[in-house]
Amino acid sequence: MTPNNKKYFPFIISLIVSLPFCASANFQALPDLTQILSSFALISLGLILYKTDKTYSSPIPWVFYGLVYLASLIAITPFIHYRPFSSSWLPALIGVISLAIFSLAITNYNNKTQLFDYLCKGLLLGASANALFGILQWFISYFDDNNLPIYGFINQRNLYVQYLTLGSIALAYLWNKKKIKDHYALPLTTLLAIGAALGGSRASFLYLLALLPFCLLSKPFKAEVDIQRLCNKLLIIWAINLSVMLFPLLLIMPQANTNEIKTNTERNSAIARVVTNMDHAANNVRLYELKMSVQSIIKHPILGIGWDGFALEQQNIIQGKEYSHLNDWPTFLRTNTHNAILQLFVEYGLFAIPILLGFLYLIWHIWYEKQTDALAAMALLAVLCIQSMVEYPLWNFQYLAIFIILITLFGPIKSTSNISIPNIFYPASGIIGSGLVIYSVYLMITLLPVSAPGWIWKENRAHIPQLEHYRDNFLVDYHVHNMLLSHWRSPTVQINNARNLCKKINNYRPTPQSLLCEAVISHQEGHPEQSRALMAFSIHSYPQLATWTISEFNKSTAAKSRIDSRKASSIIEMYQ
């Protein structure tokens, strides 16, 4: 039985790939949450509107099995690895299950070309809106001289430019299909290119590198005429983007002073950041994460460390190593590896191999199709994947949704294995998802006003009971613990079982403040050895904050003997 969803479903696909990426301009405090919730809400709405007349037999896409496998790995994480907060894994599990159900719905839609057309329209619309907003940010930054970052609605440099690159590929596809006329295509290309260039992301050159093979594909392989035209359109867009990216060279090359180059081009030039090596510190962090990832894989080669366990794992690795230059290490917690493949093997060890092999099989299948639509999909996937080698977009639900929709549209289907789906299945799944969205919005509205200490002590005292009420909530328990921790130093409030609060945070994502909190409370409760061990752990993990850590500890414990904190290495020796 064919689902009766022709009217709404393609439009929902278009919204899923556009609206969440324009949903954070007015919610700077929680940009990722608004994007994730809007993406999840649209998927739930799509399932609600996915009507069928009666029970029907549905083929199963291969990606469905991969998502079920990933969901199983996430679900067993708290049973194998200690996770003090359900919000560290349960929302991810819910998201993966929703995408698995959505992949079934996509598979049962007859006109896949129509869905891909609407997906590309949504990407182009969202990318154009972000480019326009990014250009507006640049004008405000330039004339007000306030160095406003150019991130569009997305609030992250690399992800912003990546999304504009996806929009450029979608533009090439629609242009090739004559759904966009020539006199509109070139201005849109220029708009997206300027918006991406102003973002100042060095990853722009990675995206262009990933796109280049698809621009030249028709030359050596004697591709069909339609594919040749698409490659030519991609090549035009590629050349315009590269020209706009390199244009700042004309401005900065005559300048001999590197500091002057940094000052004049910091806000809007990717090429200047490459020429001046402006992000040397960021490069060191990437190397740091690579070393920690390799150490973790060697330490846990079979089972890995489980979903979202990298933060604590890299801190534990640091404690067992001798570093000659402590100040080279970051002053803030690293929560992921910034590499999708490393992340999978760190979290799941050998059990990550089926996911990687399954993905390679899907890519091979899409490539084997040799269709114009499939070629455009491959270009989109190439940009998503190359970014996943230096960032973590596929760990963000809204980007994973685009990824899953693409490989479901063009991936293989196991036609010999059908399942019987009742007509109530998709609407019921969507209603459950919508309920979770509404409840999450309620939590966000309730908790935001009390999330941080204010200047009025009576308000702070009133906030604590509200936060305590949600301390064990399955969706926000980790975030509420951090909110309570921010009230810990306030002299007018008292947090119930504060030591346990800090201990739970330190068993998941230890931060300088949470480690200091537990160390101070342990000292006050008569456990000096535990206090010293926590201080050593904190200083060894965050050496650049050693002076602050010792100073705050002395203030809080009224220590009689002050500790010289001029050298992090000597402090560690004193505590050990």
Side-chain angles (χ1 to χ4, degrees):
M1 183 66 189
T2 302
N4 179 23
N5 54 12
K6 294 181 180 179
K7 184 181 293 185
Y8 304 108
F9 199 64
F11 182 63
I12 293 295
I13 293 288
S14 183
L15 290 178
I16 289 172
V17 300
S18 59
L19 190 58
F21 302 91
C22 303
S24 62
N26 297 318
F27 298 94
Q28 297 294 335
L30 293 168
D32 290 339
L33 182 59
T34 55
Q35 291 180 24
I36 292 169
L37 283 179
S38 56
S39 181
F40 188 80
L42 288 167
I43 286 176
S44 300
L45 178 62
L47 292 175
I48 291 174
L49 298 176
Y50 202 93
K51 299 177 182 178
T52 58
D53 295 332
K54 62 180 182 180
T55 300
Y56 68 98
S57 180
S58 170
I60 305 175
W62 277 101
V63 67
F64 175 82
Y65 293 104
L67 290 169
V68 170
Y69 179 72
L70 177 60
S72 302
L73 293 177
I74 296 174
I76 63 174
T77 291
F79 299 98
I80 299 177
H81 310 277
Y82 176 64
R83 292 291 183 270
F85 303 109
S86 59
S87 60
S88 67
W89 60 273
L90 188 55
L93 176 62
I94 294 171
V96 171
I97 291 174
S98 71
L99 288 174
I101 297 172
F102 200 68
S103 71
L104 287 175
I106 293 172
T107 301
N108 286 283
Y109 192 86
N110 289 335
N111 193 343
K112 301 293 195 305
T113 300
Q114 183 188 33
L115 291 184
F116 188 63
D117 285 351
Y118 271 80
L119 181 143
C120 289
K121 291 175 182 176
L123 284 174
L124 178 58
L125 179 64
S128 300
N130 269 279
L132 285 170
F133 191 62
I135 292 171
L136 176 62
Q137 288 175 320
W138 183 86
F139 273 106
I140 295 172
S141 175
Y142 184 82
F143 289 107
D144 285 356
D145 197 27
N146 59 10
N147 205 26
L148 183 72
I150 315 300
Y151 296 165
F153 294 102
I154 295 176
N155 296 300
Q156 207 276 351
R157 189 194 305 272
N158 296 335
L159 296 180
Y160 162 71
V161 176
Q162 179 201 45
Y163 187 64
L164 265 58
T165 306
L166 296 178
S168 296
I169 298 170
L171 170 61
Y173 170 79
L174 295 171
W175 186 12
N176 185 62
K177 290 287 186 179
K178 301 186 185 302
K179 296 180 184 292
I180 293 181
K181 296 181 180 180
D182 293 354
H183 56 274
Y184 292 126
L186 291 177
L188 283 171
T189 300
T190 306
L191 169 68
L192 295 176
I194 293 174
L198 294 179
S201 170
R202 295 177 302 163
S204 305
F205 298 102
L206 280 179
Y207 306 146
L208 292 178
L209 181 63
L211 193 55
L212 183 58
F214 300 95
C215 301
L216 305 176
L217 191 64
S218 64
K219 308 303 179 186
F221 293 105
K222 297 181 180 179
E224 297 178 2
V225 174
D226 195 35
I227 292 181
Q228 289 181 1
R229 285 200 301 264
L230 175 62
C231 292
N232 291 336
K233 299 293 191 299
L234 286 171
L235 185 58
I236 293 172
I237 290 175
W238 185 90
I240 292 175
N241 273 270
L242 183 63
S243 300
V244 174
M245 291 290 178
L246 296 179
F247 177 75
L249 276 177
L250 301 176
L251 304 178
I252 68 175
M253 290 308 289
Q255 301 182 45
N257 191 319
T258 301
N259 291 327
E260 187 178 355
I261 293 174
K262 291 182 180 180
T263 301
N264 292 339
T265 59
E266 182 178 4
R267 66 165 66 93
N268 63 356
S269 175
I271 189 65
R273 297 173 69 210
V274 173
V275 170
T276 61
N277 195 24
M278 196 176 295
D279 292 306
H280 178 69
N283 296 336
N284 285 345
V285 169
R286 294 293 193 274
L287 291 174
Y288 165 86
E289 289 166 339
L290 174 62
K291 292 177 182 178
M292 294 297 104
S293 301
V294 172
Q295 289 291 326
S296 179
I297 294 171
I298 294 173
K299 188 177 176 182
H300 307 280
I302 299 177
L303 296 178
I305 60 176
W307 177 266
D308 203 21
F310 182 72
L312 180 61
E313 174 64 16
Q314 55 98 16
Q315 295 287 359
N316 289 332
I317 291 174
I318 291 174
Q319 305 306 311
K321 301 285 289 183
E322 292 293 335
Y323 296 109
S324 57
H325 301 290
L326 291 173
N327 287 335
D328 287 345
W329 303 110
T331 60
F332 53 93
L333 188 65
R334 311 309 302 174
T335 57
N336 61 78
T337 66
H338 278 76
N339 183 291
I341 295 177
L342 282 177
Q343 189 80 21
L344 282 172
F345 280 95
V346 164
E347 292 183 341
Y348 300 118
L350 294 178
F351 288 90
I353 294 178
I355 297 177
L356 183 60
L357 293 179
F359 170 70
L360 293 175
Y361 170 69
L362 290 172
I363 293 298
W364 175 84
H365 177 87
I366 296 173
W367 179 265
Y368 186 75
E369 288 291 310
K370 295 181 180 177
Q371 297 177 359
T372 307
D373 295 3
L375 178 65
M378 281 287 293
L380 293 169
L381 288 170
V383 172
L384 284 169
C385 290
I386 199 167
Q387 173 67 4
S388 297
M389 296 300 100
V390 294
E391 280 281 354
Y392 45 92
L394 297 184
W395 267 250
N396 292 339
F397 182 78
Q398 63 273 26
Y399 288 93
L400 181 61
I402 297 177
F403 182 81
I404 295 302
I405 291 172
L406 283 171
I407 60 178
T408 304
L409 283 173
F410 297 97
I413 298 173
K414 191 174 181 181
S415 57
T416 57
S417 178
N418 288 13
I419 57 174
S420 180
I421 297 181
N423 60 348
I424 195 65
F425 175 71
Y426 292 123
S429 301
I431 290 171
I432 294 172
S434 299
L436 288 171
V437 170
I438 293 171
Y439 182 57
S440 298
V441 172
Y442 164 76
L443 290 174
M444 184 173 67
I445 295 173
T446 303
L447 294 174
L448 270 179
V450 299
S451 59
W455 292 102
I456 304 175
W457 65 269
K458 288 184 178 179
E459 290 184 359
N460 292 339
R461 293 180 104 179
H463 291 171
I464 298 301
Q466 297 180 56
L467 291 173
E468 290 281 4
H469 180 71
Y470 296 100
R471 188 164 173 168
D472 297 318
N473 185 279
F474 70 102
L475 288 177
V476 294
D477 52 358
Y478 169 68
H479 305 286
V480 170
H481 274 67
N482 273 296
M483 292 174 187
L484 285 167
L485 179 63
S486 68
H487 286 274
W488 165 65
R489 301 296 298 277
S490 176
T492 61
V493 300
Q494 184 174 1
I495 301 173
N496 295 327
N497 202 358
R499 185 182 182 190
N500 182 60
L501 178 142
C502 299
K503 191 172 184 179
K504 288 181 70 175
I505 295 176
N506 291 333
N507 283 329
Y508 174 52
R509 289 183 175 179
T511 64
Q513 186 176 6
S514 63
L515 290 166
L516 174 65
C517 172
E518 188 179 357
V520 169
I521 294 174
S522 297
H523 183 276
Q524 293 172 343
E525 292 181 352
H527 304 287
E529 293 183 1
Q530 292 182 14
S531 179
R532 285 195 296 270
L534 287 163
M535 288 295 291
F537 188 100
S538 178
I539 295 168
H540 209 162
S541 297
Y542 305 99
Q544 293 187 15
L545 299 177
T547 302
W548 175 86
T549 303
I550 294 298
S551 174
E552 293 299 310
F553 180 80
N554 287 335
K555 290 178 184 177
S556 301
T557 58
K560 294 181 180 179
S561 58
R562 299 300 174 186
I563 302 173
D564 183 4
S565 57
R566 287 174 294 181
K567 293 183 180 180
S569 58
S570 64
I571 297 171
I572 295 171
E573 292 175 1
M574 296 176 80
Y575 276 108
Q576 291 179 334

